Amino acid sequence: MPPFDYLIPFLAAAILCTLSPGPDLLAVISYSLSQGWRTGMGFGVGCALGACTHTLFAVVGLSALISSNRFAFLILQSAGAIYLAYLGILSLRSSTSITTSTDTLHPNQSKNPILTTTTFLTALKRGYLASLINPKLGLFFLAFLPQFIDQSRPVASQFAILGLIFSSLAAILF
């Protein structure tokens, strides 16, 4: 367990980082505004679960390995960009298919089954995947968490605890 005197500054910094505008927060807001708060909550919880996975990656050293291998980092970064572009295209197609449709549809529904109203579980999966393939999140954990770790105690357990606290805060704030 990290020392208690490190937790208060960590919580303050983690809250500020979570509330700062970034792709995850903007996607949560977008999902919430376009498809309702449950869908936005699903995406936010998915992002928080992705942060938990990145915590695990940091604890076992996978994040450090990816960040040190330029090719692996580029592949992961490209996959993230492609997935975000895919989500953007889905969003654009969804808005145009709803406004140009002559059929009577529910406001959040379209003829394309992929673009129908997103469920909580679907949004959760999308949030998890978006967070998981974001290599910058792994680098963030590698740079941010050590600032609040006491080197005289077991580092891996402190990493895990701080990462879980950060992920829980993200789920609550999103």
Side-chain angles (χ1 to χ4, degrees):
M1 176 76 178
F4 183 73
D5 52 333
Y6 287 14
L7 283 178
I8 301 301
F10 171 76
L11 289 173
I15 289 170
L16 287 175
C17 288
T18 304
L19 291 177
S20 65
D24 289 345
L25 182 60
L26 295 176
V28 169
I29 292 169
S30 174
Y31 268 98
S32 297
L33 291 175
S34 67
Q35 299 189 23
W37 66 272
R38 283 188 180 103
T39 306
M41 188 184 316
F43 195 90
V45 169
C47 290
L49 290 174
C52 285
T53 304
H54 276 287
T55 298
L56 176 65
F57 292 166
V59 169
V60 300
L62 186 59
S63 294
L65 182 67
I66 289 173
S67 68
S68 66
N69 184 329
R70 212 173 169 156
F71 182 71
F73 184 81
L74 180 65
I75 294 293
L76 193 57
Q77 190 175 31
S78 299
I82 290 167
Y83 182 67
L84 289 177
Y86 167 74
L87 289 178
I89 290 168
L90 281 182
S91 177
L92 289 173
R93 287 182 60 199
S94 173
S95 65
T96 57
S97 67
I98 292 170
T99 58
T100 60
S101 176
T102 57
D103 296 339
T104 307
L105 296 173
H106 186 273
N108 289 331
Q109 193 176 27
S110 73
K111 291 180 181 181
N112 188 338
I114 295 174
L115 303 175
T116 58
T117 302
T118 306
T119 65
F120 178 88
L121 186 58
T122 301
L124 184 136
K125 290 176 190 176
R126 288 181 181 171
Y128 178 74
L129 185 58
S131 182
L132 186 64
I133 61 177
N134 180 359
K136 292 180 183 176
L137 186 57
L139 294 176
F140 170 77
F141 279 137
L142 288 176
F144 180 69
L145 295 181
Q147 309 305 314
F148 303 97
I149 288 179
D150 181 1
Q151 295 292 324
S152 66
R153 297 178 178 196
V155 173
S157 63
Q158 291 180 82
F159 241 96
I161 290 168
L162 291 175
L164 290 174
I165 290 171
F166 186 92
S167 300
S168 299
L169 274 174
I172 291 167
L173 294 173
F174 283 165

